[in-house]
Amino acid sequence: MFDSGDLLLPFGNTEAVLEEICARTAEILEAGKMPVMLGGEHLVTLGAVRAMVQKYPELHIIHFDAHTDLRDDYLGERLSHATVIRRCHDLLGDGRIHQFGIRSGERAEWDFAFAHTDFHPFNVKDVLDVVLALGSDVPVYVTLDLDVLDPSLFCGTGTPEAGGVFFQDLEEALLALEALNVVGFDMNELSPHYDASGVSTAVACKVLREMLLAYVK
């Protein structure tokens, strides 16, 4: 393992930010290592996925989140934390994005999810079904938006949604993915200044440790 350092991102230029993330992810992949990215707002995932799909054309995404993130645009912008999974779908197509824990989104997003993604709203327990279906050969990228957790234990995020999953349930779901061919992952949407107690940061660090131990082989 190694820490490749923080990226100096060009503030205010969304596409340039994504290009920087994509380039660093590609560099890590070319070195034969597994990219692990800590965001930022969830749009950062798109930069990594652009590089991942170049190396792994059959890539599947497992997505944990409170929100569908499937809008085609948000406030007129096609690149946003609210559109990131829709833009990933543009790259991967139907049936290769598996969504868990969703409990918020516009009606059109839910309709799109039921039609085009493998959609498991309100729970993370169905992960076991996906593990059995995918097996150990299909390359998988895991994206974890920490607001999938209930805000009563993780309030340090920009868009908290009541009714989320609890730590043990998320941990069990994440550890079940150990049986898959996880080729990269990210964890995002921690905003420490929203939780002066430090509890959200402690939870995020524990989740990261468990993911590293499970997926980095």
Side-chain angles (χ1 to χ4, degrees):
M1 292 188 190
F2 78 105
D3 182 352
S4 73
D6 294 341
L7 289 176
L8 298 177
L9 301 175
F11 181 77
N13 189 332
T14 304
E15 188 55 55
V17 168
L18 293 173
E19 289 174 2
E20 290 275 357
I21 296 169
C22 181
R24 178 63 64 87
T25 305
E27 182 181 356
I28 294 170
L29 288 169
E30 288 166 7
K33 296 182 179 293
M34 174 192 290
V36 175
M37 183 176 64
L38 307 179
E41 72 141 59
H42 204 167
L43 182 61
V44 297
T45 295
L46 179 60
V49 169
R50 285 176 176 176
M52 298 297 299
V53 78
Q54 290 298 313
K55 181 166 184 178
Y56 302 102
E58 301 305 315
L59 187 73
H60 282 240
I61 293 175
I62 293 182
H63 169 220
F64 296 95
D65 204 323
H67 309 91
T68 55
D69 290 354
L70 286 171
R71 298 189 192 197
D72 194 39
D73 71 88
Y74 179 60
L75 301 178
E77 294 293 331
R78 287 172 57 82
L79 296 176
S80 162
H81 65 92
T83 70
V84 57
I85 301 302
R86 183 66 169 265
R87 299 288 78 84
C88 289
H89 177 270
D90 292 344
L91 297 172
L92 272 62
D94 285 0
R96 288 165 58 188
I97 297 175
H98 312 271
Q99 299 186 273
F100 297 92
I102 311 298
R103 55 191 185 276
S104 178
E106 292 185 333
R107 182 184 298 273
E109 293 181 87
W110 284 64
D111 291 344
F112 186 92
F114 282 119
H116 300 286
T117 77
D118 178 29
F119 193 48
H120 304 265
F122 303 112
N123 82 89
V124 296
K125 298 183 185 300
D126 292 349
V127 160
L128 292 175
D129 295 333
V130 174
V131 169
L132 292 174
L134 293 181
S136 59
D137 295 326
V138 175
V140 172
Y141 184 87
V142 180
T143 179
L144 170 61
D145 185 328
L146 287 161
D147 66 23
V148 72
L149 290 162
D150 193 87
S152 64
L153 63 95
F154 187 87
C155 64
T157 188
T159 51
E161 291 285 347
V165 301
F166 288 92
F167 180 84
Q168 186 173 0
D169 295 322
L170 179 62
E171 182 183 40
E172 290 176 358
L174 292 171
L175 294 182
L177 304 183
E178 184 177 8
L180 298 176
N181 178 25
V182 177
V183 294
F185 69 89
D186 66 58
M187 185 179 77
N188 55 74
E189 293 287 356
L190 167 67
S191 296
H193 62 283
Y194 285 133
D195 184 1
S197 74
V199 170
S200 297
T201 299
V203 170
C205 289
K206 178 68 175 289
V207 171
L208 176 62
R209 185 187 73 175
E210 296 303 303
M211 294 177 81
L212 288 170
L213 289 171
Y215 306 154
V216 181
K217 301 177 175 67

